[in-house]
Amino acid sequence: MALSKKTPRILCVTSGKGGVGKTSFTVNFAIALTRNDSRVLVVDGDMGLANVDVLLRLSVKNNIRDILESGADPRQALIFARPNLAVLPGSSGVPEMVSLGDKQQSKLAGFIKNISSSFDYVIIDTAAGIGSSVLWYNRFSDHNIFILSPDPTSMTDAYALIKLLSRDHGINRFNLVLNFVRGVREGNHTVDTIKRVTQRFLNLELAHLGSIPEDNAVRKAVLDQVPFIEQTPGSKAARAVHDLAERVHTLI
Amino acid sequence: MISRNAIHTRTITCGCCRYGVSAAFLKRSGFCNVRGKSMHGSFFFVVLWIVVLLVAIVLGYLQQNRMVKRKTAELRRELFERQMAEKELLASDQKLRQSLAEKESLLKEIHHRVKNNLQIVSSLLYLQEDYMTDPKGVDILRESQNRVKSMALIHEQLYGTADLAKIDFGRYIEGLTANLFDAYGIDPDRIRLNVRTGDIALGVDMAVPCGLIINELVSNALKHAFLPDASGTIDIAIQTPDTGRIEMVVADDGIGLTEPPADAEKKSLGLRLIDTLTAQLDGTLVINTEKGTRFSITLNAPEQPEKES
Ligand SMILES: Nc1ncnc2c1ncn2[C@@H]1O[C@H](COP(=O)(O)OP(=O)(O)OP(=O)(O)O)[C@@H](O)[C@H]1O
Ligand SMILES: [Mg+2]
């Protein structure tokens, strides 16, 4: 336990398909963790279209790209958004940042390692797709969390990314978080289906961390730029995220 | 209108007498009033029923709709599973094919090299003839060359055909005998050759000894059966009388074997080879010298395993 206090656990939130709720999960999950007295750093790894700052209504002065280019102290870019919650904002609208060069990768790794020492969890919100930065963040992390919706296209994209990561990047442990779930039955069916496919063709066991129901409170909170876990703490989605945070130690 | 009212009044009167309502009153206020009470009651119930029915229908419809949607979503996910399975199977199938093609070309390459090496051996033997003064020694070297060439031919044929495991034995015999006629400088018009083989395919382990046996028998016939300038015929017949057996017959109408040699030491290497190979393959050798010479060899030719290993 003492060791894990010193080295923060790095979680990578990814999905393959866009718009399935990675950013929304990352922000709210991070806040839920801070409520359990953990110190959390959120890294906005969506280098092309960052929006963690939008969901938290933060004003960004320096982002990842700026510190990578200037070589300044990465701590300057950190925004303390809530008690125990810091955000390293990503860059938006810069196409060349979507793919990271080798040099930038090691530099970024150094930065994150450097600033993460005073946190318990580092949560990286990645971009959609299978760009090199997404692959790198997944390799860099200790735990990989896949956000998935019951939509077959989301499952297809998640499967494609899992396959890529397991075959070419040596990652063989994945955690599933189902989002947009309308009912237990749908959730179970989705999880069973994707588990069967990965088991059969990739020989991988996926761990199902939990599910977040489809909830209008989420949509509304996004519009208001307030995390739903703060705006509507009693909503189904908020309670689901709290449950997920309780199970963070079961991540594989 | 009036008459209809009257009829109504009459009928209703009967029904209302019990309540002591006079016909006159009925006529004045109109039957609707009194009748209205009971009509309202049943009307209410009818409406209630209709409403309940409608609500039930709507609820059922909604429920069904929900179920259809849920089922559709489930089917879509199952479709996803199938699609992924198909994709993966297709990919692994392609991989298998590719690896099979690679192995095949590798095998061809190996047969090619074996053939080339055997040809080199044969050429070396040919070159050594120049250092041989003894004509008998030259003959021995030639025979060895022919044996090596016969073996090389098997590998040549293997890499030249689609089936890398089996030899078309008829075609092989034709190539082999043509080589021998060439080696001994025999005019095919003087000594005629009849080859009769069925559709016999042999694996390499079987084709090599069988080829060597035919090589020896045909060589012997070419060397010894016919006097110089005499003409004649050599018959080769190969058949499979029953599964697992192969019968090879080489017959000539030449001068015939003087005496079938019994003494192993005195036998030529060719005859000893035939003996050894026949014994090795659990075969029997029958020599008939009534009219020319007829060698008949029956061998065990185990079914070539095709798939099982
Ligand atoms: N559980 C939910 N219920 C209802 N709406 C949701 C839920 N989760 C997410 N959404 C909606 O989905 C939209 C996309 O969410 P979000 O931006 O978090 O996705 P993303 O995966 O980060 O997208 P991108 O790939 O573009 O980064 C948001 O507008 C949000 O309101
Ligand atoms: Mg996002």
Side-chain angles (χ1 to χ4, degrees):
Chain A
M1 212 54 213
L3 196 78
S4 70
K5 271 272 178 320
K6 261 187 198 151
T7 52
R9 297 219 269 166
I10 304 180
L11 324 182
C12 181
V13 179
T14 198
S15 71
K17 188 175 158 64
V20 291
K22 293 179 294 294
T23 309
S24 165
F25 166 79
T26 304
V27 168
N28 289 280
F29 187 66
I31 293 175
L33 286 175
T34 63
R35 301 277 170 84
N36 297 345
D37 285 332
S38 299
R39 293 159 303 165
V40 184
L41 168 65
V42 170
V43 175
D44 193 344
D46 194 338
M47 322 282 269
L49 298 164
N51 45 26
V52 169
D53 50 312
V54 180
L55 282 190
L56 285 164
R57 210 189 294 164
L58 304 174
S59 63
V60 176
K61 292 199 185 69
N62 293 306
N63 60 38
I64 290 186
R65 185 177 72 109
D66 300 330
I67 57 165
L68 272 180
E69 279 178 0
S70 68
D73 183 358
R75 269 167 239 274
Q76 282 180 359
L78 283 192
I79 303 175
F80 289 88
R82 298 287 186 279
N84 278 339
L85 175 67
V87 174
L88 180 59
S91 54
S92 208
V94 189
E96 68 266 27
M97 280 307 287
V98 177
S99 55
L100 286 169
D102 280 349
K103 235 183 178 166
Q104 283 176 317
Q105 282 178 0
S106 51
K107 210 166 166 185
L108 190 54
F111 277 161
I112 296 177
K113 285 263 154 76
N114 185 3
I115 54 178
S116 64
S117 55
S118 47
F119 294 94
D120 301 311
Y121 295 99
V122 175
I123 310 180
I124 304 173
D125 176 30
T126 65
I130 53 174
S132 67
S133 76
V134 174
L135 301 177
W136 181 77
Y137 279 123
N138 271 289
R139 275 202 313 267
F140 178 72
S141 306
D142 303 321
H143 305 281
N144 305 78
I145 301 177
F146 266 75
I147 310 291
L148 199 72
S149 85
D151 178 357
T153 53
S154 157
M155 296 165 75
T156 308
D157 293 359
Y159 176 74
L161 182 52
I162 288 176
K163 183 171 164 182
L164 186 66
L165 289 173
S166 75
R167 292 229 169 129
D168 301 347
H169 299 274
I171 301 170
N172 48 25
R173 286 173 303 173
F174 298 94
N175 301 276
L176 293 185
V177 170
L178 237 54
N179 193 13
F180 288 101
V181 177
R182 289 157 304 199
V184 181
R185 196 185 153 120
E186 185 182 63
N188 289 342
H189 191 255
T190 308
V191 171
D192 289 348
T193 308
I194 188 115
K195 271 187 171 176
R196 266 203 305 276
V197 177
T198 52
Q199 170 73 55
R200 179 165 165 205
F201 296 110
L202 308 178
N203 201 15
L204 279 179
E205 284 280 8
L206 306 178
H208 179 209
L209 189 67
S211 305
I212 304 171
E214 177 159 35
D215 193 339
N216 276 331
V218 180
R219 260 183 262 277
K220 178 155 188 320
V222 171
L223 290 178
D224 296 343
Q225 287 180 267
V226 182
F228 61 81
I229 207 160
E230 291 175 346
Q231 192 177 50
T232 46
S235 64
K236 283 191 284 181
R239 277 182 283 143
V241 170
H242 276 297
D243 287 348
L244 290 171
E246 293 293 334
R247 283 205 292 283
V248 69
H249 61 275
T250 65
L251 282 174
I252 59 170
Chain B
M1 199 66 194
I2 292 166
S3 63
R4 236 175 72 190
N5 252 352
I7 292 162
H8 272 293
T9 312
R10 221 177 18 245
T11 45
I12 285 165
T13 310
C14 313
C16 293
C17 281
R18 283 189 284 153
Y19 305 105
V21 181
S22 72
F25 173 78
L26 258 180
K27 250 193 184 152
R28 194 160 10 101
S29 61
F31 66 88
C32 300
N33 215 4
V34 176
R35 181 64 188 160
K37 256 184 191 155
S38 77
M39 276 277 282
H40 264 310
S42 58
F43 183 70
F44 172 76
F45 278 114
V46 168
V47 168
L48 188 70
W49 272 116
I50 288 174
V51 167
V52 167
L53 211 68
L54 278 178
V55 168
I57 287 172
V58 168
L59 281 183
Y61 173 75
L62 288 179
Q63 171 72 13
Q64 187 149 345
N65 223 13
R66 262 225 320 268
M67 252 167 61
V68 167
K69 269 193 189 148
R70 201 180 64 201
K71 273 280 165 217
T72 310
E74 274 177 22
L75 285 175
R76 288 227 174 94
R77 285 192 290 274
E78 264 149 40
L79 186 67
F80 150 82
E81 193 175 348
R82 301 253 160 126
Q83 279 173 336
M84 289 303 113
E86 193 181 278
K87 246 190 224 170
E88 293 294 346
L89 292 178
L90 224 72
S92 66
D93 189 56
Q94 209 163 333
K95 247 193 193 158
L96 267 179
R97 274 168 208 278
Q98 199 178 330
S99 125
L100 187 66
E102 275 167 18
K103 300 268 148 58
E104 268 181 8
S105 67
L106 206 69
L107 202 55
K108 277 191 182 175
E109 175 79 20
I110 287 172
H111 281 304
H112 201 146
R113 290 196 183 177
V114 170
K115 185 218 86 180
N116 283 350
N117 288 347
L118 288 172
Q119 236 161 30
I120 289 172
V121 173
S122 165
S123 302
L124 287 175
L125 293 172
Y126 172 72
L127 290 175
Q128 277 183 314
E129 279 181 18
D130 291 353
Y131 300 91
M132 190 63 78
T133 42
D134 182 3
K136 210 165 171 209
V138 172
D139 280 350
I140 288 173
L141 284 178
R142 286 247 165 99
E143 283 165 17
S144 295
Q145 276 177 57
N146 290 335
R147 289 179 189 123
V148 173
K149 269 191 199 157
S150 292
M151 288 170 71
L153 194 61
I154 286 182
H155 294 279
E156 186 169 10
Q157 202 171 317
L158 274 175
Y159 74 72
T161 53
D163 189 349
L164 283 167
K166 293 278 179 62
I167 294 274
D168 173 355
F169 205 58
R171 222 188 96 201
Y172 170 66
I173 295 299
E174 276 162 22
L176 182 153
T177 48
N179 272 354
L180 289 177
F181 272 63
D182 220 32
Y184 290 106
I186 305 283
D187 178 3
D189 286 331
R190 184 170 74 84
I191 299 178
R192 302 178 65 79
L193 178 70
N194 292 324
V195 180
R196 275 182 295 121
T197 59
D199 228 0
I200 294 174
L202 293 180
V204 189
D205 339 2
M206 208 51 204
V208 170
C210 288
L212 281 177
I213 289 172
I214 300 280
N215 181 79
E216 298 311 319
L217 292 175
V218 174
S219 301
N220 279 351
L222 291 179
K223 279 190 292 183
H224 308 298
F226 307 102
L227 296 172
D229 300 326
S231 63
T233 309
I234 297 177
D235 283 302
I236 302 177
I238 296 169
Q239 57 200 28
T240 44
D242 36 50
T243 43
R245 304 289 284 173
I246 178 169
E247 187 188 27
M248 305 191 290
V249 175
V250 177
D252 65 65
D253 58 356
I255 55 172
L257 271 185
T258 37
E259 99 262 12
D263 187 1
E265 289 300 303
K266 275 190 184 161
K267 277 186 184 174
S268 69
L269 174 60
L271 284 178
R272 271 180 26 218
L273 250 178
I274 294 169
D275 275 348
T276 315
L277 292 171
T278 309
Q280 247 173 34
L281 294 170
D282 225 357
T284 51
L285 168 63
V286 177
I287 305 173
N288 188 324
T289 51
E290 271 167 22
K291 213 178 135 210
T293 311
R294 187 176 186 277
F295 281 84
S296 167
I297 296 170
T298 312
L299 300 172
N300 270 343
E303 288 303 295
Q304 298 296 318
E306 270 184 55
K307 269 163 202 144
E308 73 238 306
S309 60

